[in-house]
Amino acid sequence: MLYIKDFLLQLLFALTPFVLYTIYYRDKAENYSRQFITITCMICLFMSMSFPFTVEDGIIFDIRYVIMFFGMVYGGMTTGVFLLVEFLTYRLLIGGQGLFSAIIILSITFSLSALLSNVYRRRSEYRKLITFVAGFSFSVIPIATMFVTEYQYSIQHLKFNILVMPVLNFLGIWILISLFNKAVSDKELYLRYLQSEKSETIAHVAASLAHEVRNPLTAVMGFLKLLKDDSITREKSQKYIAICLEEIKRTEVILSEYLSIAKPNHAVVEKIELVQQINSIVEIMTPYAIMNNVSLEMQHLEDKLYISANPTEIKQLFINFIKNAIEACAVLATGNVNIRIERQSEYAKITIIDDGVGMSNEQMERLGIIYFSTKSKGTGLGLTLSYQFIRSMNGDVTVRSKSGEGTEFILTLPLTN
């Protein structure tokens, strides 16, 4: 019974990097970093060596080889060196009868981990085979070494040495590498689709902005032609120049807002004035609404509401919701999208209402789920990202809709002082 408890505890330590990855990177629009792998593996190695298998004083067993191999596969040689230094330092402090054997085993398994991890990264078609070889090798090498250096001990605890530890090492490596590799692959696919969704949004907005930019440029061109006429008065010339400058300034604002959508996302949280932010988004989405014969209106009961958020993410969030609302009305001869902003205690309540095609109960239940979309060409990742971002801010999303009667999204975001 004691073996089972220690076995499960060590297996838990082996799976900790995967668990921490799924928690830490769940809502992040990025994949793992080598620093994350290094820190996580060092924590797991310390924990496994602090609560090891011990069947005889001074001789300890844990999942160090699993962590070492995993760290070198995903973190590289630098992570491996950090883990090596950590192990040697901690093992010397622990001391005991098995110290000499542990150093011999580690010198062999470390070299083998470096070789196998390098091949694992370079030859993806052999990854399952390499994982099997690593699990098998890290099960056999400790047994063989202990039979040479601690023969009497090995014979006394033969069942433990040939059954418990090999199974733990093999199972630990296989499960950890398989689960982590699947999670990383899914995350990479998710990020590619997010980028595709963002590019599609930018393309749609760019098409509408082309119309919006053309209007002030046409006006500027017309007034410049009038200025070529020598017969106009100085007063009129000044007036035309002022109009031209105003139109150019308006064009600059439109282009700046568009470029801010395409900026790379940096994990910077700032204090944002919500009403002004949404108003600027409504301005750049208005041409897109006009192209789809949709009127876009905004109402707010408060002049200033402040939230803490990443400026790029919050802008993309509202673009996703407003764009979806506009497209839901595009099938109508004339559609309407209304945005209301108000304060509710310590939260900002943003209501986005459209009179478009609406949704069924089944569609509403699946909103925010990855790869689900009510649009024929949509991936659903825009709303998935938006839902995750709102929840990461401790906010909430509520949706009310009926097929053919429109949709109402209610977003609540915590306010900041």
Side-chain angles (χ1 to χ4, degrees):
M1 194 67 175
L2 181 61
Y3 284 174
I4 295 175
K5 185 184 75 172
D6 289 340
F7 183 95
L8 293 176
L9 183 62
Q10 288 295 317
L11 195 59
L12 173 63
F13 292 143
L15 296 179
T16 298
F18 166 73
V19 175
L20 293 178
Y21 171 81
T22 56
I23 294 172
Y24 184 74
Y25 284 98
R26 181 184 59 184
D27 296 324
K28 291 184 177 292
E30 58 182 307
N31 219 327
Y32 73 92
S33 65
R34 290 192 176 186
Q35 291 85 349
F36 172 83
I37 297 296
T38 302
I39 294 170
T40 304
C41 288
M42 291 183 73
I43 292 172
C44 294
L45 183 62
F46 177 80
M47 295 299 292
S48 68
M49 292 180 68
S50 299
F51 303 96
F53 264 127
T54 303
V55 292
E56 188 171 304
D57 288 342
I59 299 179
I60 65 174
F61 291 93
D62 48 57
I63 44 83
R64 70 191 71 157
Y65 316 118
V66 176
I67 297 299
M68 189 78 69
F69 177 67
F70 169 80
M72 294 175 77
V73 165
Y74 291 98
M77 195 64 186
T78 303
T79 300
V81 171
F82 274 107
L83 293 173
L84 178 63
V85 172
E86 180 188 18
F87 170 77
L88 290 174
T89 304
Y90 198 9
R91 191 63 185 87
L92 288 171
L93 289 173
I94 295 173
Q97 178 185 346
L99 176 60
F100 177 68
S101 301
I103 292 177
I104 292 177
I105 295 171
L106 184 69
S107 63
I108 300 172
T109 55
F110 181 83
S111 302
L112 184 61
S113 293
L115 175 63
L116 291 177
S117 62
N118 186 44
V119 178
Y120 185 95
R121 290 192 299 271
R122 292 169 56 188
R123 304 295 296 270
S124 59
E125 66 271 22
Y126 296 131
R127 285 181 176 177
K128 288 185 178 179
L129 176 62
I130 294 167
T131 303
F132 176 83
V133 171
F136 180 79
S137 301
F138 299 150
S139 300
V140 172
I141 291 171
I143 296 173
T145 304
M146 291 300 291
F147 264 97
V148 174
T149 58
E150 302 286 346
Y151 180 77
Q152 194 64 35
Y153 160 82
S154 299
I155 296 299
Q156 288 177 358
H157 304 284
L158 187 61
K159 185 183 295 185
F160 175 83
N161 285 300
I162 66 174
L163 291 178
V164 179
M165 287 313 300
V167 170
L168 178 62
N169 284 328
F170 190 88
L171 195 62
I173 283 182
W174 189 264
I175 294 177
L176 176 58
I177 294 293
S178 299
L179 288 178
F180 195 86
N181 188 54
K182 181 68 167 59
V184 168
S185 299
D186 287 348
K187 187 72 173 184
E188 288 175 352
L189 180 64
Y190 173 71
L191 293 176
R192 284 199 296 270
Y193 271 107
L194 285 183
Q195 188 60 41
S196 174
E197 180 82 8
K198 184 174 181 179
S199 298
E200 183 183 350
T201 299
I202 292 173
H204 288 173
V205 176
S208 63
L209 285 176
H211 289 271
E212 184 72 1
V213 169
R214 189 178 291 115
N215 292 334
L217 290 180
T218 301
V220 169
M221 186 180 297
F223 284 115
L224 289 177
K225 287 180 179 179
L226 289 175
L227 287 171
K228 291 173 65 177
D229 188 350
D230 296 332
S231 64
I232 64 172
T233 64
R234 180 177 175 80
E235 183 181 349
K236 282 189 175 182
S237 296
Q238 294 297 322
K239 182 180 178 181
Y240 293 163
I241 291 172
I243 293 174
C244 288
L245 291 173
E246 189 65 32
E247 292 297 309
I248 291 172
K249 184 178 179 182
R250 185 159 72 92
T251 303
E252 184 181 9
V253 170
I254 293 170
L255 292 175
S256 296
E257 291 292 345
Y258 167 66
L259 290 173
S260 69
I261 301 172
K263 280 182 181 178
N265 187 14
H266 301 290
V268 178
V269 175
E270 297 178 4
K271 186 176 180 179
I272 298 172
E273 205 290 286
L274 189 62
V275 175
Q276 180 183 355
Q277 181 74 278
I278 296 178
N279 187 59
S280 67
I281 294 168
V282 168
E283 287 182 1
I284 65 171
M285 294 302 295
T286 295
Y288 186 62
I290 293 171
M291 284 179 63
N292 288 278
N293 297 318
V294 176
S295 67
L296 183 58
E297 298 179 357
M298 173 178 163
Q299 302 169 0
H300 55 93
L301 304 178
E302 299 278 345
D303 287 335
K304 292 186 183 296
L305 293 171
Y306 292 96
I307 62 171
S308 293
N310 179 286
T312 306
E313 287 180 337
I314 199 71
K315 184 170 291 188
Q316 187 64 42
L317 182 153
F318 285 114
I319 286 174
N320 287 338
F321 278 104
I322 295 172
K323 178 173 175 284
N324 284 348
I326 293 170
E327 290 173 349
C329 301
V331 296
L332 306 176
T334 56
N336 296 283
V337 175
N338 189 273
I339 303 165
R340 293 203 300 264
I341 308 170
E342 55 189 306
R343 180 193 294 269
Q344 271 195 349
S345 184
E346 297 179 356
Y347 288 84
K349 178 183 176 184
I350 304 98
T351 307
I352 303 172
I353 306 171
D354 68 70
D355 58 0
V357 294
M359 291 179 287
S360 65
N361 290 332
E362 182 185 357
Q363 288 174 320
M364 284 191 289
E365 288 175 1
R366 298 180 65 189
L367 279 178
I369 298 176
I370 188 169
Y371 308 135
F372 172 75
S373 175
T374 58
K375 295 178 286 187
S376 59
K377 295 183 179 180
T379 63
L381 288 167
L383 276 186
T384 300
L385 180 62
S386 299
Y387 270 61
Q388 289 181 350
F389 180 57
I390 290 170
R391 287 164 184 159
S392 71
M393 295 174 62
N394 297 319
D396 193 25
V397 184
T398 304
V399 58
R400 301 169 186 163
S401 185
K402 285 187 178 180
S403 294
E405 297 183 15
T407 303
E408 177 179 320
F409 278 98
I410 302 172
L411 285 55
T412 54
L413 301 176
L415 295 171
T416 187
N417 296 323

